[in-house]
Amino acid sequence: NAGVTQTPKFQVLKTGQSMTLQCAQDMNHNSMYWYRQDPGMGLRLIYYSASEGTTDKGEVPNGYNVSRLNKREFSLRLESAAPSQTSVYFCASTDSFSSYEQYFGPGTRLTVT
Amino acid sequence: KQEVTQIPAALSVPEGENLVLNCSFTDSAIYNLQWFRQDPGKGLTSLLLIQSSQREQTSGRLNASLDKSSGRSTLYIAASQPGDSATYLCAVRPGWGSARQLTFGSGTQLTVLP
């Protein structure tokens, strides 16, 4: 049982480049989330998808876009990367029809130079 | 706005001690509370989930309690081991909202000395 998977694990971008972070879950969960984690700032919600076909902004959405491709997959896109987006990005999912227990992926460590 | 506080920020104990990590939250209208463990450079691993109607949950050497009325939860770790060294985060989920996003504490960094 893979749970929540994320690709890539590491990425280095130059300022202005774009990239997409991929996330998939195999637990048939309805809701999916993207967070960033920075030293001293804790975990901050970027975007979430309450169910397939819906997405909403979280606490820090500027500079990001998301796509809920299907029930399993939720991608995060950086259109024009900035050094302030250097962070560790985590994807998570929750079964919103049951316990609402949240599961996290292993993270993507992104550096923007 | 919900605020979650974890005290202390860091804790160092000798192996074998029993210890308690604290989590407090300002809004008692929660759906559940979840404790996570995070090892350096890794993702968050769910340890225990307590629904708002429950008082405690146990898993092995871990016991989490919830007092909704006072806005507090504790994570009790019995007979601590060096392998328990990690950052422990608590997070509360509101009793409303379409996705009921979690609000996280800033964590307690635990070091268990051999």
Side-chain angles (χ1 to χ4, degrees), chain B residues 70-86:
Chain B
S70 67
R72 292 184 181 180
S73 176
T74 61
L75 179 66
Y76 174 83
I77 302 176
S80 58
Q81 302 170 358
D84 294 331
S85 298

Side-chain angles (χ1 to χ4, degrees), chain A residues 33 37 48 99-102, chain B residues 32 34 38 46 93 99 101:
Chain A
Y33 310 80
Q37 186 176 40
Y48 65 95
S99 66
Y100 265 104
E101 184 166 9
Q102 190 146 315
Chain B
N32 60 31
Q34 198 167 351
Q38 186 175 28
S46 178
R93 190 176 297 283
Q101 303 94 307

Side-chain angles (χ1 to χ4, degrees), chain B residues 13-73:
Chain B
V13 300
E15 182 177 4
E17 267 202 14
N18 302 326
L19 59 101
V20 174
L21 306 181
N22 297 295
C23 172
S24 61
F25 48 94
T26 55
D27 186 347
S28 62
I30 65 170
Y31 187 84
N32 60 31
L33 183 146
Q34 198 167 351
W35 282 94
F36 295 90
R37 169 188 173 136
Q38 186 175 28
D39 293 288
K42 304 291 185 184
L44 280 71
T45 300
S46 178
L47 295 174
L48 288 165
L49 174 73
I50 311 179
Q51 301 297 347
S52 61
S53 59
Q54 297 175 319
R55 297 285 293 184
E56 64 179 88
Q57 281 286 341
T58 298
S59 175
R61 293 183 295 108
L62 305 180
N63 176 279
S65 68
L66 174 64
D67 185 342
K68 226 172 52 161
S69 60
S70 67
R72 292 184 181 180
S73 176

